[in-house]
Amino acid sequence: MRVLLVEDDDGVADALVEALRANGHRPSRVRRGADALIAHRDADVVLLDLGLPDQDGLEVLRKLRKIDPVPVLVLTARGDERTVVRGLRLGADDYLVKPVRLAELLARIDAVARRSAARSQEPDELVRVSDVEIDLQSRQVVVGGREISLTTKEFEVLAVLARRPGTAVSRQQLMDEVWGNAFVAVSRTLDVHLTQLRAKLDRPGLLHTIRGFGYRLGE
């Protein structure tokens, strides 16, 4: 698995990366929370330390959970009950206190990855909503039997929503999946693309705005 290690201690990080690689995983390592909020998109599992130099790891976890369901295993020296409970409530899939035995860490990684795989389902390649057809593989959109032309970013915005038809998707998740980082993307840019997308689709009510949260495709 691709394992993203978010750890600022070089000694700890080097040992974990070596151990993960020796056990068949493909580890990568970042030191800062801000880097984790970009690199998570290429990971199957995230190992997250809480004592990071730029921001608290719990804040990184909170932001990450707004945009990505990737399994997160907190790996930290903080073992007090309050922090453990808060980490789990913020969406951590598991919580381990350092020092941790390697065999246990590897088993926990496998366990959270299995649970995540069981929850996920591959989206249909062709999504139909009313008289709109969205082919996610060929990147074609047909409205009322007529193919329409979308820019790359317009299609990517529509594709994020089409993979979850009828489900509300947050603005942060949209910006993260389309632009790569929800926390540096310009929110106004998303608004412009959505306005253009609505005009090209010409189907009032197809793209719903969820006030204060995000958007939904279809009912």
Side-chain angles (χ1 to χ4, degrees), residues 44-45 69-72 93 110-121:
D44 300 310
V45 176
V70 62
V72 177
D93 293 86
D110 288 342
V112 297
R114 283 197 304 270
R115 291 198 298 268
S116 176
R119 290 194 300 262
S120 64
Q121 294 181 343

Side-chain angles (χ1 to χ4, degrees), residues 171-185:
R171 289 178 63 89
Q172 290 97 333
Q173 186 167 355
L174 266 169
M175 289 187 289
D176 184 77
E177 293 196 27
V178 175
W179 282 274
N181 188 343
F183 302 99
V184 299

Side-chain angles (χ1 to χ4, degrees), residues 161 168-172 174 198 208-216:
L161 297 169
V169 179
S170 71
R171 289 178 63 89
Q172 290 97 333
L174 266 169
R198 281 188 166 115
H208 300 269
T209 299
I210 312 299
R211 188 175 298 277
F213 181 77
Y215 304 91
R216 183 181 74 246

Side-chain angles (χ1 to χ4, degrees), residues 52-168:
L52 302 174
D54 60 333
Q55 56 188 302
D56 189 271
L58 290 174
E59 179 63 12
V60 176
L61 175 61
R62 185 187 67 81
K63 291 178 177 178
L64 191 57
R65 273 296 164 258
K66 288 185 175 182
I67 55 179
D68 194 342
V70 62
V72 177
L73 198 159
V74 171
L75 184 60
T76 180
R78 297 187 205 170
D80 60 285
E81 183 180 5
R82 180 179 180 183
T83 303
V84 174
V85 170
R86 189 177 175 208
L88 293 172
R89 285 180 174 172
L90 284 173
D93 293 86
D94 208 338
Y95 196 109
L96 284 173
V97 178
K98 299 174 183 175
V100 61
R101 291 172 297 183
L102 178 60
E104 181 180 1
L105 173 62
L106 293 171
R108 297 287 187 100
I109 291 173
D110 288 342
V112 297
R114 283 197 304 270
R115 291 198 298 268
S116 176
R119 290 194 300 262
S120 64
Q121 294 181 343
E122 289 296 321
D124 293 334
E125 290 298 326
L126 183 63
V127 179
R128 294 183 177 88
V129 182
S130 186
D131 65 343
V132 177
E133 295 184 358
I134 304 157
D135 192 319
L136 297 172
Q137 186 170 21
S138 67
R139 301 175 71 89
Q140 292 179 314
V141 179
V142 175
V143 180
R146 177 178 60 89
E147 184 175 349
I148 64 171
S149 176
L150 300 180
T151 67
T152 298
K153 285 291 188 257
E154 288 167 357
F155 180 84
E156 288 174 357
V157 169
L158 181 60
V160 171
L161 297 169
R163 291 187 182 100
R164 308 162 179 84
T167 301

